[in-house]
Structures are given as C-alpha cells and as structure tokens.
Amino acid sequence: MKGLRLKYRTKEAIVGYLFAAPVIVSVLVFAIYPIFAAFYYSLTDYQPLEARKFMYVVDPYGALELHTGILREEAGNYTLDELLANFDPIQFVQLDLGVNLDDTEKELVKRYFDSASLISDFREGKLPERLKVSEFMKRYMRAYGHKFSKYVPKFVGLQNFEDIFSDKLFYTSFWNAFLYSLVVVPIQTLLAIILAVAANSKIKGVGFFKAVFFLPAITSSAALSMVFMLLYSKPGVINKILVAIFGKFGFQPIDYLNEPSIALFAIMAMNIWSTAGYFMVTFLAGLQDIPSSIYEAAKIDGANKFQMFWKITMPLLRPQIVFVSIMGTIGCMQVFDQIYFLVRNLRNITISYYIYKNAFEYGKMGYASALAVILFAVILILSLIQRKLIKEQY
Amino acid sequence: MSVRPSSWPVIVSYLILIIYTIATFFPFSWAILISLTPITYFDDDGNERGVNIFDWPPKLKLFPKPSAFGASLTLRNYKLIFEVVPLYRRWLLNTVIYAGILTIGNVILNSLGGYAFARLNFPLKNFWFTLFLALMMVPGQVTLIPQYNMLVRFGLINTYAGLFLPKLTSIFGLFMMRQFFLNFPKELEEAARIDGFGILRTYFRIVLPNALPAISALSIYTFLGAWNDFQWPLIIMSSKENYTLTLGLNFFRSSYYTYWQYMMAASIFMTIPMIIIFLSFQKYFVESGKAVAIKG
Amino acid sequence: MRRLLTVFFAVWVVVGLFAVVRITISGWPGNPVEEATIKRAVDTFNNTIGKQKGIEVVWEPIAGDYKQVLMTRLSGGTGPDLFYVDVYVFEELARANVLLPLDTYVKRDNFDLNDFYPSLIEAFKYQNRLYGIAKDFSTLALWFNKEIFDKYKVPYLTNDETWDSFLKKLQQLKAAGFETPLALAPDFNRIIPFIISFGGRLVKPDLSTALGEPNSKKAIQFYIDLVTKYKVAKEPSALGSGWLGEALATEKCAVAMEGPWTIGFMRGSFPDTFKKMGIVEMPKGIKKATMIYTVAWSINRATPNRDAAWEVLKFLVTEGQRIFVEGAGVLASRKSIAAQDKDPVKQVFYKGAEYGVPWRVPTPTGIFSIANDQIGSLLKDLFAGKLTVDQAVKIIEDNYNNWVKK
C-alpha cells in the first residue's frame, strides 16, 4: 500500500512538471532572462545597430577597392609595398568594411591586423568573395580574432542613471505618467462605483447597460484613439457642440490635442471614458455580494441614502476598490498606445513612450533599459504599498 | 401625480445610466456616421464635390434617404479601404492568425499549468508560484527590449513566430485557470480516481470538459487582448504585409490623414468582430471581468 | 531516375538563371501624386532594365515616423535594400555604418557625378566617401492666394519682399477681415531661413549651438511673434489641415512658405486653387535665404544584393529622376535634367538653390535628431504661448550638448 502511494506521488510530480513545463519554460525564457538582461543593459551603452556589426556579410574585394581606389582587376599592377603604403587598417575596418570599433578594438586592429596577408590575397585574387565580418576578422587578425565575433556592449556603470537624473524629459515623461494615474485612477474608480450603485438599485435593463458600458473596453485603444482624434480636432464635433452651447459666453474652439497644456488631460478623459464601464462590472459583482439586511438595519437606524453609501457601500467595496486602483495604476503608469497615437508634443509624452523612443528610434537601448528599471522600481513600490493595504483588509 | 419618495433613487439611477449610455454611444455613433459619409458627392448640377465632414450642423436626414453633410450615406468606404489599401485583407488575416494562435496556445498551456498549480504536487511548486506572483508586478517595458534583442538574434524579427512565441503563455491566464481549478469540486476527481482513472485521464476526461466556462473566459480575454494589441506588433512587424489591423490603423493615420472617412471605417471595421463576439459570449466577458477581480 | 534528376537539374538551372532579385525600396509615402509618380518610375524600371537584368523593384513606403521605423528595421536586420536618407539624418546613419559607400560603383561604371549640383553631392559625403546620391531637391518659396489678396484689396507679394513689408501685408489682410493670413509650422527647419536671413547662424565654429546669439534669437522671436504677438499666423492643425500645403490648397490661409512638392499636390488634387496661386521668393532680412531640402537614395549596407541595388539606384537618379521631376514637381538634382525643366512655376524654386542653405545641422557626433525633436517640441510650446523665446533658448543652450551626445 505504501509503495503504491509513493508511486502515485512520483507520478503526480512528473505529470505536474509536464503540465507546468510550457509555462515555466516560457516564463524563464521570455520573462526571467529578459529581466536580468534588462538590468545588465541598463549598465551598458547597448546599441542595437552595433549589435549586428559582426554578423554583417561583407564583400572584402569591394571594401578594398573602396579603400585603395584600385579595382580588383588592376590590383596585380601594383606591388605589395605600393598597396601597403596607402593602407590604414583601422580606417579600412571602420569605414570600408563598415564595422564601428571601440577604443579597445581599434587598439587590437592597430596591433594585430595582418595587412600584408590581406593585401597579398587581394593582389593574387585569393580573397573570399563573401563572408561574415566575424569570419573575416578571424582570418586576418594575427591574434585576438575571436574578440570580433560577439558584440559586447560597453560597460558604463551607473552612467545611464546619472544621465537620467539630468534629463529633463525623463522628469517630464515620468511626471506625466504619474499625473495620468493620479487623475485617471480615482475618477474612473469613482465613476465606476457610481454607475455600479445606479445599476444595482433595482432597475430594469441592467444587462443592457452592462453591455453598453463594456463597449469601449472591447475596442482597441488604437481605434479609440483614431475616433477621438477626430472628435478632439479643432473643427471637430466636440468643439461644435460646446460652441453651440457656450458660444454666447465667449467659448472659443480648442485644439485639444495640439494645446500642450490640454492634450494630456484630453487623453485622460478618453481613458476614463473607456475604462469606467469595464470596472463598473467589477463593482457590481461586489455590490451584489453585500447582503441587503445590512441596508435594512441601517434604514431602521435612520441612515439616509448618502450615509449608507459612504458608511456601508464604500467600506464593503474596499477589496474591489483596492484591486481596481492597483490595476488602474499599473496600467496608467505604462500607458503607451494612446500617447503614441495622439500626443504631438514631447512635453506630453509618458515614460513608456520615452522608453520606446530611446530604444527604437534613438537606438539607445542601454539608456532605455535604465529608464525601464526605474519604472520597474516605482511600480514595485506602488504595488507593494497597495498590496499592504489589501493585507490590512483581510 | 406625485412621485413616491422611495422611487427617487431609481429615477436618479436611470438618469445617471442613461446619460452615461449616451456618453458611451456618442463617440461610436459619430465615428460610424463619418465612416458612412462618402468622400465626394454629386451636387444638383452633377458636379463632383468634396464632402466636408466638419460642416455644422451636420444636416442629418433619415428620410427619404439617410444622408449627412449633404451626401447620402453609404457603406462604400468599408469596401474602399480594401481597395485603397489592397493589403488590408492580409492585415485582417494576420490579425486573425495572431489572435487565434495566441488564444489556442494560451488556453492549452495555461489550463495545463493552472491545473498543475491547483491540484498536483510537484517539487518547487511553491517556489515557482511565488516567482510568478512576483513577476506580475514587472512592467512590460522592462522585458520588451531584451525580448526584442533575443528575437533579433534568432532571426525572428518580422515573422509570425517572433510575434507570438513570447506570448503563448501568460501568468495572468495561468492564475485565472488555477483559480478556477481550486474552486472545482474535488469529489469529481476523487470519484474518477476510485474508478481507476490516472491523472492524465482524469484531467482530459473529467476536469477539462467541466472547465468550459473558465476556458471561454480565458479565450475571450486572450483573443481580445491580441486583437487589440498595438505595441508588440509595432516593434516586431516591420514590413507592411505583416501588419496587424492596429498597425494598419497607424498606417491610415499617417498616409490618409485627411481621409477621415477611411480612418473611421477602418476603426469601426476592426471593432465589429469584437462586438459580435462580445454579444454572443457576453456572459463570459463578465466572467473574465470578475476573474480579473478575484486575481488580486 | 537519372533522367528525372537531369530534368530536375536542368529546370533548377534555368530557374536559377531567371531567378528574379527582389529589391525593396522605401521612403515616406508622399501625397497621392508623388505616390503615383514613384510607382510609375518603379514600373518603368521593372519593364525595362529590370526585365533584362532580372531585378524586380518593390516600392514599400514606410508610414508613420520614417526615421523611427527605419532605425527599428535596420537594427532588426529587416531594413529595405534601398531607401531615402534625409540630409539632416545622413551623418548619423553614415556614422552608424548602415549605408553602403558608393565610390567603387561610381568608379567602375564611370557614373557621372559632375552632372549633379556639387553641393548636393557634398551633402552625402562622410569621411570622403559617398553614401548616397541626391534623388532630387527642393527649396522654399512664398506662396500666396491672389484671389484672396484681390478680394481684400492688398497688393500682391513680390520677389523683393522684406520681412517688414511682408508682415505689413499680412496685417493688412487681417485688418481687412481675413482672419489667418499665414500658416506656419512649428518645425525647426522652417525657422532656419529666418535665422540665416536675420544674419544669425545655427552653430558656432566649435559646433555648439548658436541659437542664443542675438541675430538668431531675433529671428526666432519674429517667427513666434507672427503667431503670438501679431496673430497673423497659425499652425496648420489649428486650421484643421494636416500640413501647410493643404491649408493653402483648401484656402484656410492666404500665404505659406512651401516647397515645389506642393505643385504636384495642388495640380493633382486642387487644380482650381492652383490657378490662384502666386509664387515668389522668400522675404529677405539682412540677406536672402531659403532652405534646401534634399533626400538621397542610399543602399543598405546589409543588403545581400548590392549590385542589383546599385542598378536600381542608378536608374532612380537618372531616368527615374526625370519621371519624378515631371510628375511630382520636385527639382532635379542633375543639371542636365534641371536644364530641361522649363516649367515656369518651378523657376523661382531653382533660383533658391543659389542662396539657400541645406537642411543639415553639423554636430560633433553627427546626431541631430534628438535636438530636432526637442526644439520642435519647444516651438509648439512657443506657438501655444507657454514659453517665452528667452526661456526656450535658455533650455536649448542648457541641454544642447546632451541632445547631440551619443
């Protein structure tokens, strides 16, 4: 009996790992490794264009023709010394082969590059036609050829972080993300609660309202951004309606997305609009769990509707509130799509957009990783605080 | 006629809900209206004239023929976006493939994993579980750059594989399934075991068929997320034939920025499938919304 | 079996011989007229040289932020074979070693560079190597809508306008009731002619920024004043337009400083408005100035098909350029084609080449794009009145070194 039990346990462990393996492997490869890599990158000057430099396939004849100004078929007309006299290995590798070198690499090329053997191969037509930079260097470096096979970003220590703290756009973009959460999260939460309370007050057609309020949540932020780009444009319909109503009080059409002091708030409004209905469902579920006897008792004690709302509903909804605010904060701190689509002015960008811009437009992946690490730290702190609030609750 | 005091809250509630319904509908209806407005129309003298969608008032008419801005409404723009951008068909296909593969992958792998974490004992289970829990707090921006570089190294940039491989499982989906299996009545499994079912058979024959609600919720959640995803395809897919619909919108924005009608048609077009799915599986949507709530 | 193999081999050889090399060329999508023109050039190539040499060109415009997408694609190893390189990002790309030097090809084919305007060849040289050949060029001129000037009884703009007389005419238009006479873009390159003509400069000899120098600052101030102080100008988006040419074509403004690319656009999409247009040289201050924009075709260093890419490039700057100059209204970078370009509307733009400055800001690292973004953003703030010119210049001076750093 005991033996059988053990056997079952072993089987369970094997099947358990088998079942969990895809998720575990995927997490290791696509989450754990990248996190360590990101921390490492943040201490380097990782440049994506450089990262490919040893993988390029080069044409040594073409490069030498370019360097010497002598075509391959003419090369035999010159002596080795004549050709060598005009040959500069660093310039050759850097400009004609097209491999940017850092200072150490330059020094290595200066010392160990076998110019004579390259030039004589060129003269005798023995150069390979096409090969990878790494193979080329292995072939024509007298030593240390292997140093040219894998890109190693330059280790810069905390330089990126130092730069970040003097980067005005870092503060701007970070503050914007923070402001974004600070405005969006409370308003959307409150709005969602109000909608949930309204939907919970014994009315007909709750299903209909729920369906309608879900609509923005299932629409992609890209499509919503396009729609709001139209609504928010200066000659757009929002201005037209506002002018029709407030025109006589001197209301002037506003260019919502181009006005730097308004643009971000306009995007926030869109975000609140698109998520409040979604979170309302969460609160509605919470409300339906509150036993009506509590309200009955409060009524007997003479409490009015507002008192009931603040003294009973809100405290009992606290788990949902905390949850929605955590989700909201994490989401808002990382807002990207809407910013990518709608922001026209660097003054209004958020940190995730700034990270994207640095990594993929400016090619500063080291710097971008450092920014991401800071964002990570901040989100971690924020969610730890919020998690603590949850613990208190239970 | 007097209103009884106790019906006031109901009236206020209706008022709030109706106002917010209008607020929710308005942007969509306006976008739909613009998407139905032709780019040009023929005036009474037979001259072709551009439609100004910024005209005010919009001259909305339903009879005899629905019209706005002086031109009769038409579905032509929805056809035209496929003609103006012949690749649009391809983008639609790409999106379906991306969302489909992610959904299948996530459902299979996360339900397996979720069951393992909920029911099976294996070494280091708690370690992995805590690790996953901690990983939920890592913002996507941190892993984005190394993931991208990894895909570059394996030559997977601008390929389907590069697009979906890193997204085939999700910790969130795993937790959602685990949560479901935790609440799953143990008796069923025990009965199966007494009947001599092995773990695998129990899982596939007994557990999985009963997990349909959770699987549906996860499918919808994943499909929706992939369908609407923008940043990841933006980084991975560079050539035009590999775009998804969201990238296509970005293309419309930068190439046809004066053709609001096309942009609105493209925006509404990509939303319609989601609305259909939503209306058919509404129950599960709400379920996935609630599951989100349980997660914390 | 053996016969089958032989047949198979023969088929393989034949297919190999006729295998078509696909060359992807990329640029930003132009307006519909430009798009049609480039497609025509591509078709011409594919039906002539391409057919003979087994090369098929595919035009794949990059939508959105061109440089951003291009950089992403290059670093992902999925860059196009041949692409536009704007002169203002040229040095950054050349230093990053993503462009193929063309000198050997030029030498091997005896390709005649002397036919090009020398300044346009120089613009794409780095460390004595040629990395691209100018596909065409453009300058800015002053466009105005004669009908509006007539209607409000303001004398036409002329070739001898000074900034003062220019402003005066705009103010007359405004006083007569035309709300926004001028459309201005908050882009740094649009201010450069102002700065030069006010006697300012962009950089000091040590390549640090010279925007804080009195003349440069005065020019920036004037540009902003047109919007905020005199209120005679607005940016295109404030007029409900995507760009200056569109604002002009839809008659939302009466005046704009635009390039020859607007000719093709207007002829194609707004022929009626085009008939109302007058085009004269840019107003002058201490001296005459305009902007020279130029874009080169460059070959991706990582392309596996260099020779084919060179064939395509050669076509695009010779026969292709002729098609482009005729169709899209741009100016020929080749003197022989320019000499044949008798389009009277274009002459004022060719004239600008004599005194214009190229859109290129030299920096110690060759990188200017970050500074360009940042200055552009400050200009938007200035347009919105959120900053004073002094504050903006101070921000530029304080951060410039960071922006141009590697």
Side-chain angles (χ1 to χ4, degrees):
Chain A
M1 193 64 202
K2 209 181 168 197
L4 194 79
R5 203 180 153 78
L6 199 72
K7 207 176 145 207
Y8 181 78
R9 270 212 175 155
T10 326
K11 226 166 126 189
E12 193 182 346
I14 293 171
V15 174
Y17 256 104
L18 228 57
F19 275 23
V23 181
I24 292 177
V25 170
S26 161
V27 165
L28 283 177
V29 176
F30 295 113
I32 303 288
Y33 161 76
I35 290 171
F36 283 106
F39 274 92
Y40 166 62
Y41 290 166
S42 73
L43 304 174
T44 69
D45 75 334
Y46 196 103
Q47 291 168 36
L49 280 174
E50 296 287 283
R52 303 181 51 76
K53 65 182 179 183
F54 299 126
M55 289 153 65
Y56 281 134
V57 172
V58 289
D59 157 21
Y61 278 112
L64 267 163
E65 285 172 335
L66 192 62
H67 189 79
T68 56
I70 294 165
L71 298 180
R72 62 195 282 191
E73 53 269 27
E74 307 163 350
N77 305 341
Y78 297 84
T79 66
L80 189 63
D81 290 334
E82 276 172 333
L83 288 171
L84 267 176
N86 290 319
F87 185 80
D88 175 352
I90 295 180
Q91 277 240 327
F92 171 73
V93 174
Q94 184 138 347
L95 295 171
D96 302 314
L97 221 46
V99 185
N100 278 339
L101 302 173
D102 62 27
D103 291 342
T104 0
E105 288 165 346
K106 267 186 198 156
E107 196 52 40
L108 287 175
V109 168
K110 202 169 137 196
R111 285 213 196 141
Y112 300 108
F113 193 79
D114 195 348
S115 308
S117 127
L118 178 75
I119 296 287
S120 76
D121 281 358
F122 178 48
R123 277 187 71 230
E124 293 157 24
K126 282 200 257 170
L127 278 178
E129 291 286 339
R130 285 281 151 109
L131 78 177
K132 263 196 188 160
V133 170
S134 54
E135 289 158 14
F136 179 87
M137 294 307 278
K138 223 177 264 164
R139 194 164 171 159
Y140 291 104
M141 287 290 285
R142 285 193 305 268
Y144 296 105
H146 62 276
K147 289 260 182 200
F148 296 85
S149 54
K150 193 169 175 282
Y151 169 69
V152 180
K154 197 166 122 207
F155 190 82
V156 295
L158 294 174
Q159 185 62 46
N160 286 327
F161 293 92
E162 269 172 49
D163 288 350
I164 284 174
F165 290 114
S166 62
D167 180 352
K168 240 185 113 232
L169 257 189
F170 161 70
Y171 292 106
T172 312
S173 59
F174 211 93
W175 167 247
N176 283 341
F178 200 68
L179 183 71
Y180 200 91
S181 327
L182 221 58
V183 173
V184 171
V185 174
I187 296 183
Q188 90 187 357
T189 311
L190 192 68
L191 191 57
I193 293 174
I194 292 174
L195 292 174
V197 170
N200 197 35
S201 56
K202 296 190 192 86
I203 56 158
K204 289 200 180 87
V206 179
F208 168 76
F209 290 120
K210 265 205 287 201
V212 171
F213 297 165
F214 237 82
L215 204 58
I218 57 167
T219 310
S220 78
S221 39
L224 287 182
S225 298
M226 301 283 280
V227 171
F228 276 78
M229 206 193 299
L230 174 65
L231 297 183
Y232 278 149
S233 65
K234 196 166 183 186
V237 66
I238 291 185
N239 272 326
K240 292 280 161 56
I241 292 174
L242 289 176
V243 166
I245 302 173
F246 301 110
K248 37 186 175 304
F249 307 112
F251 177 85
Q252 289 292 317
I254 300 169
D255 195 358
Y256 296 94
L257 295 172
N258 276 300
E259 192 76 52
S261 49
I262 294 177
L264 199 60
F265 291 98
I267 298 172
M268 289 175 194
M270 165 184 144
N271 199 331
I272 292 169
W273 169 85
S274 69
T275 44
Y278 177 76
F279 286 129
M280 166 231 172
V281 176
T282 309
F283 287 118
L284 195 56
L287 284 177
Q288 282 161 352
D289 289 343
I290 301 176
S292 54
S293 55
I294 298 184
Y295 291 105
E296 302 294 333
K299 216 186 227 165
I300 292 164
D301 289 349
N304 66 27
K305 284 276 167 190
F306 275 101
Q307 284 169 328
M308 283 197 230
F309 180 75
W310 287 112
K311 295 274 165 66
I312 300 173
T313 313
M314 290 297 267
L316 284 176
L317 278 180
R318 194 157 149 209
Q320 282 84 6
I321 292 174
V322 174
F323 163 75
V324 167
S325 64
I326 290 182
M327 292 296 287
T329 310
I330 292 179
C332 286
M333 287 299 288
Q334 299 180 56
V335 61
F336 177 83
D337 300 2
Q338 295 90 322
I339 304 294
Y340 182 95
F341 270 88
L342 298 177
V343 159
R344 315 272 163 80
N345 190 323
L346 287 183
R347 178 188 273 275
N348 297 128
I349 62 171
T350 57
I351 183 77
S352 60
Y353 183 75
Y354 193 48
I355 292 172
Y356 167 81
K357 209 170 163 68
N358 268 293
F360 296 102
E361 184 185 350
Y362 300 152
K364 292 162 118 182
M365 285 194 168
Y367 191 73
S369 298
L371 288 168
V373 165
I374 293 179
L375 176 66
F376 182 18
V378 171
I379 288 186
L380 195 68
I381 293 167
L382 285 180
S383 32
L384 284 181
I385 294 173
Q386 281 166 319
R387 238 157 236 282
K388 215 171 167 244
L389 292 177
I390 286 193
K391 284 248 169 68
E392 273 169 20
Q393 180 61 30
Y394 292 121
Chain B
M1 200 177 102
S2 70
V3 182
R4 283 194 304 128
S6 67
S7 56
W8 274 113
V10 175
I11 291 171
V12 173
S13 297
Y14 270 121
L15 214 61
I16 292 174
L17 292 175
I18 288 166
I19 289 173
Y20 200 73
T21 302
I22 294 171
T24 305
F25 266 136
F26 178 71
F28 286 102
S29 356
W30 192 258
I32 291 170
L33 175 71
I34 300 298
S35 77
L36 297 176
T37 308
I39 301 261
T40 58
Y41 73 106
F42 291 92
D43 64 10
D44 300 338
D45 304 330
N47 296 319
E48 190 171 11
R49 302 176 68 97
V51 174
N52 184 3
I53 55 154
F54 293 116
D55 264 352
W56 193 259
K59 291 182 266 178
L60 266 180
K61 258 189 249 152
L62 279 177
F63 300 101
K65 246 166 112 185
S67 75
F69 309 105
S72 20
L73 301 181
T74 161
L75 280 168
R76 217 176 58 215
N77 292 328
Y78 289 86
K79 220 176 99 204
L80 278 175
I81 51 175
F82 284 89
E83 282 165 23
V84 172
V85 185
L87 274 174
Y88 205 82
R89 222 176 296 267
R90 180 69 195 271
W91 297 345
L92 178 62
L93 181 72
N94 289 343
T95 314
V96 172
I97 292 175
Y98 176 48
I101 290 182
L102 280 205
T103 307
I104 295 169
N106 269 281
V107 163
I108 296 176
L109 302 180
N110 288 331
S111 57
L112 284 173
Y115 185 70
F117 277 103
R119 281 290 202 263
L120 303 175
N121 277 313
F122 54 92
L124 292 179
K125 182 168 131 178
N126 283 330
F127 163 76
W128 292 119
F129 187 72
T130 322
L131 183 71
F132 289 179
L133 208 63
L135 285 178
M136 304 249 335
M137 275 185 267
V138 181
Q141 276 74 19
V142 174
T143 48
L144 193 67
I145 296 167
Q147 279 178 354
Y148 172 82
N149 285 340
M150 197 186 333
L151 295 177
V152 169
R153 210 169 317 140
F154 293 119
L156 293 177
I157 287 298
N158 200 19
T159 64
Y160 281 127
L163 190 65
F164 60 68
L165 269 182
K167 310 271 165 195
L168 275 184
T169 68
S170 83
I171 297 179
F172 174 70
L174 178 84
F175 283 159
M176 198 165 146
M177 294 310 292
R178 173 183 170 269
Q179 195 68 37
F180 175 83
F181 290 127
L182 280 180
N183 298 331
F184 192 74
K186 241 185 177 141
E187 295 74 29
L188 268 176
E189 288 155 87
E190 272 156 14
R193 200 172 298 158
I194 289 164
D195 285 353
F197 277 41
I199 300 172
L200 284 175
R201 225 164 112 201
T202 313
Y203 175 74
F204 285 107
R205 287 284 184 75
I206 310 291
V207 179
L208 215 49
N210 285 302
L212 218 58
I215 287 176
S216 311
L218 178 63
S219 311
I220 285 167
Y221 178 81
T222 312
F223 196 86
L224 189 71
W227 187 272
N228 293 338
D229 195 5
F230 176 68
Q231 191 177 14
W232 183 246
L234 173 72
I235 288 165
I236 300 303
M237 292 312 212
S238 52
S239 54
K240 229 167 117 185
E241 63 256 35
N242 284 342
Y243 281 5
T244 58
L245 287 175
T246 47
L247 292 184
L249 276 189
N250 189 31
F251 172 81
F252 270 100
R253 177 184 70 128
S254 41
S255 309
Y256 293 90
Y257 48 83
T258 45
Y259 297 94
W260 286 107
Q261 288 93 321
Y262 292 160
M263 298 203 288
M264 290 306 115
S267 303
I268 296 298
F269 177 80
M270 75 166 292
T271 311
I272 290 171
M274 291 304 100
I275 295 178
I276 293 172
I277 293 180
F278 171 67
L279 291 179
S280 346
F281 300 100
Q282 202 184 339
K283 193 173 90 196
Y284 300 113
F285 267 85
V286 176
E287 208 57 45
S288 83
K290 271 194 222 152
V292 170
I294 292 161
K295 196 209 85 197
Chain C
M1 186 65 198
R2 211 162 163 190
R3 265 182 60 194
L4 198 74
L5 269 180
T6 321
V7 169
F8 183 77
F9 184 73
V11 168
W12 181 70
V13 167
V14 171
V15 168
L17 273 179
F18 290 95
V20 173
V21 180
R22 234 178 102 156
I23 297 292
T24 317
I25 64 173
S26 288
W28 43 87
N31 55 55
V33 179
E34 277 170 20
E35 269 306 274
T37 321
I38 187 131
K39 274 184 194 136
R40 193 155 69 240
V42 166
D43 287 343
T44 313
F45 178 89
N46 285 341
N47 292 329
T48 55
I49 306 175
K51 216 171 232 169
Q52 293 158 20
K53 303 202 170 167
I55 303 170
E56 191 203 349
V57 176
V58 183
W59 163 244
E60 197 177 82
I62 291 176
D65 192 330
Y66 178 76
K67 198 199 152 216
Q68 189 169 318
V69 178
L70 183 69
M71 293 305 260
T72 314
R73 291 184 58 171
L74 288 173
S75 52
T78 57
D81 300 302
L82 194 68
F83 48 85
Y84 285 7
V85 173
D86 197 317
V87 66
Y88 99 96
V89 292
F90 161 69
E91 199 177 325
E92 185 181 345
L93 292 177
R95 280 180 191 246
N97 259 330
V98 294
L99 310 178
L100 184 72
L102 305 172
D103 306 76
T104 314
Y105 287 109
V106 168
K107 186 173 169 181
R108 201 176 272 280
D109 285 6
N110 280 322
F111 185 77
D112 187 13
L113 289 181
N114 290 326
D115 192 22
F116 289 84
Y117 288 100
S119 63
L120 298 181
I121 291 295
E122 279 311 306
F124 296 104
K125 274 192 173 169
Y126 169 68
Q127 298 266 10
N128 245 334
R129 284 156 178 82
L130 181 68
Y131 287 92
I133 296 179
K135 86 179 177 56
D136 50 43
F137 77 106
S138 302
T139 60
L140 290 180
L142 200 52
W143 293 61
F144 65 100
N145 188 319
K146 288 180 188 164
E147 193 182 82
I148 296 176
F149 273 70
D150 287 340
K151 190 175 159 202
Y152 292 92
K153 302 198 174 58
V154 177
Y156 287 168
L157 296 171
T158 68
N159 277 323
D160 304 303
E161 221 62 61
T162 65
W163 291 117
D164 288 336
S165 65
F166 174 61
L167 173 62
K168 222 161 258 154
K169 285 180 182 170
L170 296 179
Q171 285 174 320
Q172 283 173 8
L173 273 177
K174 188 168 172 97
F178 192 78
E179 182 51 33
T180 313
L182 177 68
L184 273 189
D187 293 327
F188 181 53
N189 63 74
R190 298 296 180 135
I191 297 196
I192 295 176
F194 285 67
I195 294 174
I196 305 293
S197 80
F198 271 71
R201 54 183 179 177
L202 304 179
V203 290
K204 296 175 188 159
D206 65 353
L207 299 185
S208 63
T209 183
L211 295 182
E213 291 180 346
N215 283 340
S216 313
K217 216 157 134 180
K218 224 163 68 191
I220 301 174
Q221 186 70 58
F222 180 72
Y223 197 83
I224 302 302
D225 281 349
L226 288 173
V227 179
T228 55
K229 187 171 157 196
Y230 307 118
K231 299 195 192 307
V232 291
K234 275 184 186 157
E235 60 178 309
S237 64
L239 298 167
S241 306
W243 57 295
L244 296 172
E246 193 195 325
L248 202 61
T250 50
E251 307 193 84
K252 298 204 172 101
C253 67
V255 186
M257 293 161 212
E258 262 297 284
W261 53 80
T262 311
I263 301 175
F265 164 71
M266 274 213 211
R267 273 189 183 147
S269 308
F270 296 89
D272 292 340
T273 333
F274 186 67
K275 287 182 202 128
K276 305 174 192 165
M277 287 294 140
I279 309 174
V280 294
E281 288 181 69
M282 293 279 282
K284 53 182 167 289
I286 296 173
K287 54 182 173 182
K288 278 179 147 183
T290 185
M291 201 76 247
I292 299 182
Y293 300 95
T294 178
V295 171
W297 285 110
S298 292
I299 297 176
N300 181 354
R301 208 192 260 266
T303 176
N305 305 308
R306 297 171 176 200
D307 296 348
W310 166 251
E311 286 301 326
V312 179
L313 192 157
K314 243 183 356 186
F315 170 84
L316 288 172
V317 295
T318 51
E319 192 48 39
Q321 183 173 96
R322 200 183 303 276
I323 297 173
F324 222 68
V325 167
E326 281 163 13
V330 288
L331 310 183
S333 56
R334 218 173 231 291
K335 287 182 249 173
S336 59
I337 300 181
Q340 292 164 17
D341 190 2
K342 294 279 190 281
D343 191 339
V345 190
K346 279 187 184 171
Q347 299 317 312
V348 59
F349 294 102
Y350 276 114
K351 212 162 165 202
E354 292 163 18
Y355 51 86
V357 285
W359 165 217
R360 185 179 183 183
V361 184
T363 66
T365 52
I367 295 175
F368 184 68
S369 46
I370 299 178
N372 189 50
D373 279 0
Q374 298 267 7
I375 296 173
S377 182
L378 288 173
L379 288 174
K380 289 212 174 86
D381 284 355
L382 285 167
F383 269 39
K386 290 200 60 125
L387 282 177
T388 66
V389 170
D390 283 332
Q391 286 167 333
V393 167
K394 175 106 193 355
I395 294 174
I396 295 173
E397 284 183 321
D398 289 348
N399 293 290
Y400 193 77
N401 286 338
N402 259 333
W403 295 341
V404 298
K405 176 167 100 173
K406 201 161 170 58

